[in-house]
Amino acid sequence: MANSHVNVLILCTGNSCRSIIAEVLFNELGRGRVQAFSAGSHPATAVNPAALQKLQSAGHETHGLSSKSWDVFSAADAPGIDIVVTVCDNAAGEACPLWRGSPVTVHWGIADPADAEPDDAADAFELAYQQLRRRVEQTLELPLESFDVRYRKDALQRIHEAECTKESLRG
């Protein structure tokens, strides 16, 4: 890799909740090892206010966050991407643009907290936040900079599968 950090692109359909949360977590917890971006295939007009509230209540910076099209990251001047993480089933099933770089792709299916009933919304955002945080923390424990492409993909998929197993036992 030419970069001194790993570029991660987190994709979701609307780029208003889960992908935004993951972007913030990767950037803050990665402390410069990772540069994360998020985007959507059909971006919302704005970041979901409940996602911003969840991030703020957990002590994260939310200034400058925005929903954006994934086309931004296939442009000639876009950063090279090392890892693409889809967090919703719709985005995982869509034909993605070509990204600069040679990214590995992994799917971390997380339920959309925006789909929760109003009385359950806070719990749904908390659950999505915790699920993403555990996956991001485990990802950052890996020597991402030295992994070859195949090992990186396998390790990221194993993190998701292990977390899904733990979550089903908790639930």
Side-chain angles (χ1 to χ4, degrees), residues 1-169:
M1 281 181 304
N3 296 326
S4 60
H5 57 267
V6 175
N7 285 332
V8 179
L9 177 60
I10 305 101
L11 300 176
C12 197
T13 303
N15 187 219
S16 67
C17 296
R18 295 162 289 178
S19 53
I20 294 285
I21 291 170
E23 174 186 4
V24 168
L25 289 169
F26 267 117
N27 283 329
E28 289 189 15
L29 300 175
R31 295 187 172 96
R33 281 185 59 216
V34 172
Q35 174 67 51
F37 310 94
S38 67
S41 57
H42 299 91
T45 56
V47 175
N48 185 300
L52 293 174
Q53 182 179 15
K54 174 59 214 161
L55 287 166
Q56 291 165 350
S57 71
H60 299 287
E61 176 60 50
T62 60
H63 178 74
L65 295 174
S66 65
S67 296
K68 56 207 147 302
S69 173
W70 64 10
D71 294 334
V72 170
F73 297 96
S74 63
D77 61 345
I81 302 297
D82 301 301
I83 299 170
V84 174
V85 179
T86 54
V87 292
C88 74
D89 294 335
N90 289 342
E94 292 182 276
C96 295
L98 294 176
W99 314 115
R100 289 195 58 243
S102 300
V104 298
T105 59
V106 64
H107 178 60
W108 291 351
I110 304 291
D112 190 350
D115 290 343
E117 295 295 323
D119 290 346
D120 300 325
D123 289 340
F125 275 90
E126 179 64 26
L127 177 61
Y129 174 85
Q130 292 301 328
Q131 290 173 326
L132 288 163
R133 185 173 180 116
R134 284 191 298 271
R135 285 161 176 79
V136 168
E137 287 173 339
Q138 290 178 50
T139 299
L140 293 171
E141 290 175 6
L142 301 171
L144 294 171
E145 301 85 350
S146 62
F147 274 0
D148 69 29
V149 171
R150 189 173 137 220
Y151 192 73
R152 186 184 286 170
K153 180 178 179 65
D154 291 346
L156 294 171
Q157 191 59 45
R158 280 193 307 272
I159 286 170
H160 177 66
E161 290 167 2
E163 280 303 311
C164 285
T165 299
K166 289 177 192 174
E167 289 159 3
S168 69
L169 294 174

